[in-house]
Every structure is written in structure tokens, then in C-alpha cells.
Amino acid sequence: MAAEGIPEVVAAASIPAAAPAAAPVAATEELSLDSQVAEKVVSQVKHYFTDANLNHDSFMRKGITMHDGWIPFSTLIRFNKLRQLIGVPEDPKIIDMRRPNKRLPRPPPIAKKFVNWLAAAVKAGVTEADAVEVNDSSVRRKEPFVESDEWFSRTVHVKGLPYGQEYVDASEELTEFFAQHGEVALLRMRRNPKTKAFKGNLLVEFGTVEQAEAVAQMTDLEFEGHKLAPVMLSAYHDEKMAADEYIHPELCKPGQTYPTFEEWCVAHGREVPLPRGAKPKVAETKKSKVKLLTPKEIVAVPNVLVKFTGAEGIAIDDLKKALGAAGNVKYVDIQNGATEGIVRFKEPVAEQAIESYAEGMPVEDSAVVLRLEAVNAEDESAFYERAKAASEAAIARKNAQALNGNGKRSGGQSESSSKRTRSN
């Protein structure tokens, strides 16, 4: 069974049109969209608010945190898929400005008739049974969104389609194709981050792990004459990690920390690429004189690590302040959303801290009481491995800044996708 929405490639409104969109059947500005177009529009709008889409769509995730969750029709009409479906023309000024080193101007207003068509279709198509609700000017989810990482274990990576070839109604047709083998929660077409060209690869999220694994084992998948090569995303990710390749944001495993592209390039001795069309800010002769930093060796120090539990809902600063009662805190290692972690003290006070707070360590201005315990050998080894990786990433980031000049980063992954642990 196919997903209710019509999944897009990349979140929000930055996807290039696959082909010229047919204008909706409407005799005058007052008339509504053709019924078939309206049905697709409503399905697409509802898709934007699904858990599957919001797990990957940072624009929509930010949007639903403002204005009590309401997203205006005037914002939705700018999303590329809806523009194509409704027939909103491209603004020639915007097209002309898509050149290197040119910042796009503020988008011009879209003709009110298109916003009205969108609003009329959604108001007529959304029912009480749907997960969204509508008012005169906006749409929102009925239930709060809770981000989940379960999608990773239900996703299949698929290769085999031609690079750069665009398909009319690609998302719909591919979703329908894979829906023969299970419930498709989301289908994403991987694109070149600079050119937006289709890379020929797909990420298909299924409703269950079992459905995903069954598809990943298929050897006879074929779409329009192209033999497809499916594999579980987790296996594809691990294969690229083992080969020490750069991990693109859409392949990142939830909860793990990855280097930005600039950091990865520096760590692998590759020149950090400049943004498309940009000119080097520093002459090559000057770049060759830049002194690059090297990571310091991470040495295991006895009696400085303590494991803590019970840190539910505690901010990192409050956590450091509470642990600071036992000694000078150098580093707190705790994953986002976790309730346990490891603290690294500057002095060897671990045994003393555990003994002093045998009955628990209270957190100021809360009812939380932390429990301290000794760190076993396995956890200690994992801690120092993470510390080493964090140190190397930090040095690589500083080297990238030095090579690019002005201490500024350019291109690559966003800061939000590069750091996913609560630490200091």
C-alpha cells in the first residue's frame, strides 16, 4: 500500500522541476482546480505534515514550532512540488539570478489566485479523520510531532537508475512501484547537493523492518528497464564507513557524530573545495604557508571517569554544575535524549566522587538525583574512542577554516548535522 502523501526528494522548496508542469484546468481565477489535480495537491500537503517527512524536513520542523503550528498557504505555495502541480510559473528574475556568488533576492509575491486555488483544494479535501486541520489561511498537525530514529532501520538504499535523468511524476511512480512490496512511508531521490541533479539512487522507507529487509534481499527488481540494486541503509552506511568514505547527511545514522565535508577533506589530505563559482580568497603561495594543527594524543588517565544515570530532562549546563560538586569537570559525554553518560574530571577524583555521593547526587532546582558508579573497561574504551574522534574533528574544522581564510567555513554539511552529542 502506498504512502498517503506524494514524497518529495529533498525537504521544502529547493527541488528542481523534473519537467514543465501542466497548467491546472481552471477557466477563470475564481474556479477551483481540476478534481484530479486537487486530489494530488491535498495528498501532498498532508504528506508534508507526516512523521515520515518531518523526520527529514528541517524547514517544516522549524515551521511547526512557530505560530502554534500553523503553516500558511502563502508559504506552502512556494514548495516546488505544489508549484508544479498547481502550475505556478517560475519567476524569470529568480531564474536569471541563479548564478555563482549571487544571493537570491527576496522571492516576489505569488499571484493570489494560486494561493486561493491551493486553499480551496485543501479546505475541501481535508476531513475530520485526517491528521491535519485547516483554517482560513493555514494548515497544521493535530498532534505534536515527536522526532524518531526508527526510520533508519526501515530504510532501503537503492542504486541502478541513470544519473541525471529526470522522470515526470517520478516520486509517485517509484512510490507505487515499491508499494507492491510493502507500505512505503517515504521515498527520497538522492541528489547532488550542488547541482541538484538526480544521482540515480533512492532511499525508500517502509512501514516495517521486515518489509524493508524483504526488499533488500530481492535480486530481480527492475524499473523501466533498469535493474535495481537494493540494500539495507544500515549495511550501506557501514560499508561506506569501513571504506573511510564521506558520509552524506541523508545517510547519517541518528545519534552519531560525523565530520563536515570540509573536515573530512582536511583529514584525508584533500583540498577543501570552494563554493560553486567562488574565487580563492587566499593565494596558493600563502596557503602553502598555513601551519596546520595536528590532534593531540588522547591518553587514558586512571580514576577520572565516572558513569552517571538518572539525568532525564536535565540541561547540559545544569548537569555540569551538579557534577562539578565532586570535582572540576573537563568533559561530559551524553547522547541527545539519553539519561546516562560519562563525566571526565580534570583530577583523579572518580573513586572519591562515587563514595561521597553513594546516596545520590541531587541536581539543583529539580527533583532529579544522579546515581554515580564506576566505569567498566568497555565503556572506558568507547569513551576515549569518542574523545579521539571529537578531537580530530575539531582540529580538522580549525584547519579547514585556516585554509579557507577569515576563519569561515564554506559548503558541506550544516553545523546541525555535524554535531549530535551533548558534550563540552
Side-chain angles (χ1 to χ4, degrees):
M1 176 180 177
E4 184 178 37
I6 308 171
E8 288 192 273
V9 178
V10 184
S14 61
I15 310 168
V25 180
T28 70
E29 293 189 9
E30 288 72 29
L31 291 181
S32 60
L33 297 172
D34 169 80
S35 60
Q36 291 185 338
V37 173
E39 185 178 346
K40 289 186 177 181
V41 165
V42 173
S43 183
Q44 185 64 45
V45 168
K46 289 192 288 187
H47 164 71
Y48 289 134
F49 292 86
T50 62
D51 289 349
N53 182 66
L54 290 172
N55 276 324
H56 306 281
D57 193 332
S58 58
F59 181 89
M60 283 294 294
R61 276 204 310 274
K62 181 179 179 181
I64 63 174
T65 63
M66 301 183 293
H67 310 300
D68 203 22
W70 291 102
I71 305 294
F73 292 118
S74 57
T75 296
L76 293 171
I77 194 63
R78 296 188 180 278
F79 288 13
N80 226 43
K81 186 66 178 182
L82 291 178
R83 291 177 68 105
Q84 294 174 37
L85 287 171
I86 295 175
V88 180
E90 282 275 13
D91 186 89
K93 293 180 180 179
I94 295 295
I95 297 174
D96 186 58
M97 287 297 290
R98 288 176 181 168
R99 303 193 303 273
N101 299 325
K102 290 290 184 179
R103 184 173 295 178
L104 291 179
R106 182 180 294 276
I110 290 178
K112 190 175 181 180
K113 66 177 181 180
F114 297 116
V115 181
N116 290 342
W117 287 351
L118 170 62
V122 175
K123 290 176 185 178
V126 170
T127 68
E128 286 293 325
D130 289 320
V132 297
E133 57 185 345
V134 185
N135 64 17
D136 288 340
S137 62
S138 310
V139 190
R140 72 173 178 183
R141 279 175 63 106
K142 291 180 179 177
E143 299 294 332
F145 169 65
V146 179
E147 192 169 356
S148 169
D149 58 8
E150 294 181 357
W151 63 268
F152 191 85
S153 62
R154 302 197 305 261
T155 299
V156 178
H157 185 277
V158 182
K159 290 184 176 181
L161 295 173
Y163 187 100
Q165 179 174 327
E166 299 294 345
Y167 297 84
V168 178
D169 298 327
S171 293
E172 298 93 321
E173 292 186 10
L174 286 164
T175 297
E176 190 173 312
F177 172 78
F178 283 101
Q180 302 173 79
H181 309 289
E183 177 190 356
V184 177
L186 185 70
L187 182 141
R188 291 179 287 158
M189 298 170 67
R190 296 189 61 199
R191 293 186 178 274
N192 183 299
K194 286 189 175 181
T195 66
K196 302 301 180 185
F198 175 44
K199 298 172 70 172
N201 301 339
L202 307 170
L203 290 170
V204 188
E205 178 187 342
F206 286 91
T208 66
V209 174
E210 292 74 19
Q211 291 172 346
E213 290 176 340
V215 171
Q217 294 173 8
M218 292 182 176
T219 58
D220 57 351
L221 276 180
E222 189 172 299
F223 180 79
E224 294 189 357
H226 301 290
K227 186 174 178 58
L228 305 181
V231 62
M232 291 297 291
L233 175 57
S234 55
Y236 184 73
H237 167 277
D238 293 348
E239 179 183 333
K240 292 183 74 68
M241 287 287 287
D244 201 19
E245 296 182 22
Y246 172 65
I247 306 298
H248 288 269
E250 67 270 24
L251 305 179
C252 290
K253 182 180 294 187
Q256 287 197 11
T257 301
Y258 299 83
T260 64
F261 186 56
E262 296 96 326
E263 293 167 355
W264 184 88
C265 286
V266 172
H268 290 76
R270 292 177 52 175
E271 183 177 356
V272 179
L274 294 171
R276 187 182 180 189
K279 294 181 179 180
K281 296 180 180 179
V282 184
E284 289 301 320
T285 54
K286 185 176 180 180
K287 276 190 176 183
S288 63
K289 297 179 182 180
V290 174
K291 186 177 180 180
L292 299 181
L293 303 174
T294 55
K296 294 181 180 180
E297 183 180 1
I298 303 295
V299 180
V301 180
N303 199 30
V304 294
L305 299 183
V306 173
K307 181 177 181 180
F308 60 86
T309 59
E312 184 174 1
I314 302 300
I316 187 68
D317 290 340
D318 294 334
L319 194 55
K320 288 172 59 181
K321 183 177 179 181
L323 293 166
N328 293 323
V329 174
K330 183 174 183 179
Y331 188 89
V332 175
D333 179 28
I334 182 171
Q335 297 287 331
N336 284 329
T339 59
E340 63 179 44
I342 294 176
V343 56
R344 201 282 199 196
F345 292 104
K346 294 181 180 180
E347 295 85 20
V349 297
E351 293 179 0
Q352 179 182 338
I354 295 172
E355 182 178 348
S356 299
Y357 292 94
E359 300 300 320
M361 172 181 282
V363 177
E364 189 176 340
D365 298 328
S366 79
V368 172
V369 176
L370 301 177
R371 301 294 176 183
L372 306 186
E373 59 186 78
V375 176
N376 60 39
E378 182 179 351
D379 287 342
E380 181 179 25
S381 176
F383 172 86
Y384 283 112
E385 283 296 322
R386 290 193 296 273
K388 179 182 177 182
S391 174
E392 291 175 347
I395 293 298
R397 183 164 57 252
K398 291 179 180 179
N399 287 339
Q401 292 170 353
L403 289 172
N404 285 329
N406 296 328
K408 294 181 179 180
R409 300 166 64 186
S410 58
Q413 276 180 257
S414 66
E415 185 69 16
S416 62
S417 65
S418 68
K419 301 299 173 192
R420 297 184 186 168
T421 57
R422 290 167 56 194
S423 58
N424 185 49

